[in-house]
Amino acid sequence: MKTQKLTKGNIPLSPQIFYVLLSLAIKQRHGYEIMKQVQSDSQGKIKLGPGTLYGAIKRMLEEKLIIEITSDKQRRRVYKLTDKGRAIFQSELQRYNEAVELARQKKLLISPLINKFTLVYG
Amino acid sequence: MKTQKLTKGNIPLSPQIFYVLLSLAIKQRHGYEIMKQVQSDSQGKIKLGPGTLYGAIKRMLEEKLIIEITSDKQRRRVYKLTDKGRAIFQSELQRYNEAVELARQKKLLISPLINKFTLVYG
DNA sequence: GACAATATATCGTAAAACGATATAATAAAT
DNA sequence: ATTTATTATATCGTTTTACGATATATTGTC
């Protein structure tokens, strides 16, 4: 009973998987590096523990969103995005963008740059 | 053992919960309306079945992200965002926006408007 | 009156997140 | 040189969530 789907048709992705793909979209990385990058890319909002990280990697390998490119038997195991992984990341990124645009259009997105002063005197 | 957390500190939210909050950020709605709105807001990418929908509503009520404002015993049960729900939605929307901006900055966001013609002759 | 769409609810399964725990190698500090 | 911190990977068990199936009733339409 192989590990599965990453949600049907891979859309939508969980935020965790999204950030893993994002980190690998820039360059190939090993597990621990992914973990740190996700934390930094998400401004500390998402922290992957080992359980989440290696569980996610395992499923993503099975789904062929990533492949391992470790040369020989190194300590670090390096992963890179497959074309499929890149396509799915792109599709999910579009969803993020569309959601933000929709929210902006509905005046729901408050710019963090607008402070109380601006709200009162702007 | 009350239903729980919606992920620790409520961040990050699952895409499903995010779209439910988005639908309620615009106006109060009843369950079935939320379901339809999520589908339309996400361009059909996210479809909530009854299990997901009413399970999510139950947990969001317990977490006090939404409250029920149904008057008397109506057929439809109407929900609206609480201040907490709105704050959490806003925080999550910021995360979406930051992720998109980061991706844009890294040249990872491909505009769907740019087609092959543009890529070749632009 | 029949039928489709609306509307809510629950149950069971599967999948995912996550903390705990473990182990080992490398790098830094004393 | 030895201790200590950080890096690095892995697995196990629990909790949480998503989600399809199923059920039921109401409202609206032909």
Side-chain angles (χ1 to χ4, degrees):
Chain A
M1 65 208 41
K2 52 168 177 160
T3 326
Q4 248 124 316
K5 267 173 291 187
L6 241 25
T7 36
K8 59 146 182 244
N10 293 297
I11 290 289
L13 300 173
S14 70
Q16 288 79 4
I17 301 293
F18 173 78
Y19 282 97
V20 171
L21 291 182
L22 172 58
S23 80
L24 291 175
I26 294 157
K27 69 182 198 70
Q28 63 193 44
R29 297 178 199 277
H30 61 270
Y32 196 76
E33 207 182 351
I34 292 172
M35 201 188 94
K36 294 290 178 188
Q37 192 63 30
V38 165
Q39 203 170 330
S40 118
D41 281 351
S42 69
Q43 330 254 268
K45 284 172 183 170
I46 289 161
K47 284 168 191 145
L48 304 179
T52 308
L53 175 65
Y54 293 103
I57 286 176
K58 194 180 177 190
R59 294 189 323 266
M60 290 166 83
L61 281 170
E62 282 167 350
E63 279 286 312
K64 300 201 197 306
L65 302 189
I66 60 177
I67 47 165
E68 189 181 338
I69 54 163
T70 315
S71 51
D72 304 311
K73 282 192 190 70
Q74 298 225 239
R75 189 182 163 212
R76 298 167 167 175
R77 315 189 74 166
V78 180
Y79 305 97
K80 68 173 281 200
L81 274 194
T82 60
D83 286 349
K84 184 185 178 188
R86 197 167 292 276
I88 283 169
F89 169 68
Q90 189 56 225
S91 159
E92 189 70 351
L93 185 54
Q94 295 295 338
R95 183 179 72 73
Y96 267 56
N97 192 37
E98 283 158 14
V100 169
E101 281 309 308
L102 181 63
R104 210 191 299 275
Q105 194 184 308
K106 304 270 185 189
K107 313 271 187 216
L108 295 174
L109 182 67
I110 297 168
S111 164
L113 294 174
I114 296 177
N115 55 27
K116 277 168 191 162
F117 181 85
T118 312
L119 286 172
V120 175
Y121 297 102
Chain B
M1 63 201 59
K2 52 168 176 160
T3 326
Q4 248 123 316
K5 267 172 293 187
L6 241 24
T7 36
K8 59 144 182 244
N10 294 295
I11 290 289
L13 299 173
S14 70
Q16 289 77 5
I17 301 291
F18 173 78
Y19 281 98
V20 171
L21 291 182
L22 171 58
S23 80
L24 291 175
I26 294 157
K27 68 182 197 73
Q28 62 193 45
R29 297 178 199 276
H30 61 270
Y32 196 76
E33 206 182 352
I34 293 172
M35 201 187 93
K36 293 291 177 185
Q37 192 63 29
V38 165
Q39 203 170 331
S40 117
D41 281 350
S42 68
Q43 330 254 273
K45 283 172 184 170
I46 289 161
K47 284 169 193 145
L48 305 179
T52 308
L53 176 64
Y54 293 104
I57 287 176
K58 195 180 176 190
R59 293 188 325 265
M60 291 167 81
L61 281 170
E62 282 167 348
E63 278 286 312
K64 300 201 197 306
L65 303 189
I66 60 175
I67 47 166
E68 189 181 338
I69 53 163
T70 315
S71 49
D72 304 311
K73 282 192 190 68
Q74 298 226 239
R75 189 183 163 213
R76 298 167 167 176
R77 315 188 74 166
V78 180
Y79 304 96
K80 68 173 281 199
L81 275 194
T82 61
D83 286 349
K84 183 184 179 189
R86 195 167 293 276
I88 283 169
F89 168 68
Q90 190 56 225
S91 159
E92 190 69 352
L93 185 55
Q94 296 294 338
R95 183 179 72 74
Y96 267 56
N97 192 37
E98 283 157 14
V100 169
E101 282 310 308
L102 180 63
R104 210 190 299 274
Q105 194 184 308
K106 304 269 184 189
K107 313 272 186 216
L108 295 173
L109 182 66
I110 297 169
S111 165
L113 293 174
I114 296 177
N115 56 28
K116 278 168 192 162
F117 182 85
T118 312
L119 287 172
V120 175
Y121 298 100

